Amino acid sequence: QTIPVPKRPNMAMFETQSIEEIVRLINDSKGRTMVLFTSTKRMNAVAKQIRDMGRIPYTLLVQGERPHGELAKQFAAETSSVLFGLKSFMTGVDFQGETLTTLIIEKLMFAVPNEPTIEARCEWIEKVDRENPFYAYLLPQMCLVLQQAVGRLIRHTNDRGLIVCLDPRLVQGKYSSRLQRDLPNSPSTRDYTEVADFLATC
């Protein structure tokens, strides 16, 4: 089943289907998963649903419930654990080996356009530089964030694992090629059978 683009009027469908994919990937990965979210509200909602329904048999660590350093330390030490985090978990952490086998990015992490500093920068680009602020600023910034997120998985020459982006805009749409341009050159698939086969070897 194809996950829709996370925009209205498809947001509810995206959120429902993304939870199903997150649960399936965590279980097929035997834990060993970090899931990156774009908002605290969404991250906590997914964590609550998974816990309330007992959908994974692994320790679930959620950013904000304990100090950042404690979560990172436990995730690294407890190989089968699962870590839910936000943008701040994209830098400054190093999880080598099996403890991080699957990295899930739920949504592409575009900056919020109406955040005051972002809005001011976009207005300057549009009025002074006479450029489209989305392509001149927001998209390049998002590409950098995506590179940082992907870098959480591959930290050593011997590391291997799976990077999953549940946001279909990475592979479809008018700017998908720009998003993919700076990512590692590695095999890709949209067939979950191939995903499951790969995880069975990890």
Side-chain angles (χ1 to χ4, degrees):
Q1 191 173 20
T2 302
I3 299 179
V5 171
K7 290 184 177 182
R8 295 178 181 176
N10 300 320
M11 186 59 74
M13 185 182 298
F14 171 85
E15 291 181 345
T16 298
Q17 292 185 18
S18 70
I19 289 180
E20 296 305 312
E21 290 302 307
I22 289 168
V23 169
R24 177 163 66 162
L25 285 160
I26 289 172
N27 286 323
D28 285 350
S29 302
K30 301 179 179 62
R32 305 183 300 169
T33 301
M34 179 161 68
V35 187
L36 295 173
F37 294 89
T38 59
S39 78
T40 302
K41 181 179 178 181
R42 172 62 178 166
M43 176 182 68
N44 290 337
V46 175
K48 184 178 187 303
Q49 180 172 328
I50 288 175
R51 283 169 169 164
D52 288 350
M53 299 181 68
R55 302 194 64 187
I56 64 170
Y58 309 104
T59 301
L60 177 55
L61 308 170
V62 181
Q63 184 173 346
E65 294 184 348
R66 286 165 48 203
H68 191 287
E70 286 185 16
L71 293 175
K73 185 175 181 180
Q74 183 174 351
F75 181 62
E78 190 175 335
T79 305
S80 62
S81 60
V82 176
L83 176 61
F84 280 10
L86 302 166
K87 187 176 178 180
S88 57
F89 260 106
M90 292 185 187
T91 58
V93 290
D94 190 359
F95 301 120
Q96 294 185 16
E98 290 187 19
T99 194
L100 178 54
T101 297
T102 299
L103 173 73
I104 304 173
I105 301 167
E106 192 197 32
K107 287 171 58 181
L108 295 177
M109 299 185 177
F110 286 102
V112 179
N114 59 0
E115 196 276 325
T117 57
I118 302 298
E119 187 174 29
R121 173 65 70 88
C122 290
E123 288 179 357
W124 175 272
I125 290 171
E126 190 170 24
K127 293 179 181 179
V128 179
D129 296 338
R130 298 188 180 279
E131 295 185 66
N132 184 318
F134 177 80
Y135 288 101
Y137 178 66
L138 295 176
L139 183 59
Q141 286 295 308
M142 211 291 302
C143 290
L144 178 60
V145 170
L146 185 61
Q147 284 181 279
Q148 292 174 333
V150 169
R152 295 312 93 204
L153 181 68
I154 307 301
R155 305 298 294 167
H156 188 273
T157 54
N158 295 327
D159 286 346
R160 64 194 298 263
L162 178 70
I163 300 167
V164 179
C165 181
L166 299 179
D167 190 331
R169 290 175 293 182
L170 180 62
V171 294
Q172 66 185 47
K174 56 187 177 182
Y175 51 82
S176 59
S177 60
R178 175 64 184 88
L179 293 174
Q180 296 176 53
R181 189 177 71 190
D182 299 325
L183 296 180
N185 184 19
S186 57
S188 63
T189 183
R190 301 181 74 179
D191 183 346
Y192 195 85
T193 300
E194 294 182 12
V195 171
D197 288 345
F198 173 78
L199 289 174
T201 69
C202 293

